[in-house]
Amino acid sequence: MTANQLRTDLLQQIEQADEKLLRIVSSVLEAVKVEYLTEEEEVVGEKAIADYSQYLKPMTHPEMKEELAEAMADYERGDYVTLEKIEEESAKW
């Protein structure tokens, strides 16, 4: 598949994706950008890391309890993605 065909296919899949899948794709793309930086792209990497800084802030005990309670509620509703599901979805691409 050529780059243009892949791009077209990905855009079609993105158009049909729900919010959960879009968040996964976004996270994967951000992780790949950080993981595969070359020395010339160091500044870009610093920006990508800076973009994550909002998630890397220290949390107070009440904030942590609230976030954990939300995460547990998501889990109990079955609102999570397994590694197997991510691998299955990524194999389609």
Side-chain angles (χ1 to χ4, degrees), residues 15-41:
E15 287 295 322
Q16 298 172 3
D18 62 2
E19 183 178 350
K20 186 186 289 186
L21 182 57
L22 291 172
R23 288 184 188 279
I24 292 168
V25 170
S26 177
S27 296
V28 169
L29 291 174
E30 287 298 320
V32 168
K33 277 196 274 186
V34 172
E35 183 70 24
Y36 291 100
L37 291 176
T38 64
E39 291 179 15
E40 297 83 33
E41 296 171 314

Side-chain angles (χ1 to χ4, degrees), residues 39-53:
E39 291 179 15
E40 297 83 33
E41 296 171 314
E42 193 170 316
V43 173
V44 175
E46 289 173 5
K47 182 185 180 315
I49 290 169
D51 290 345
Y52 280 107
S53 64

Side-chain angles (χ1 to χ4, degrees), residues 1 10 14 16 20 25 27 30 33 51 54-55 64 78 81-82 86 90 92-93:
M1 210 179 247
L10 285 171
I14 288 170
Q16 298 172 3
K20 186 186 289 186
V25 170
S27 296
E30 287 298 320
K33 277 196 274 186
D51 290 345
Q54 65 183 342
Y55 304 108
M64 188 179 298
V81 178
T82 64
I86 292 172
S90 66
K92 293 177 183 178
W93 301 338

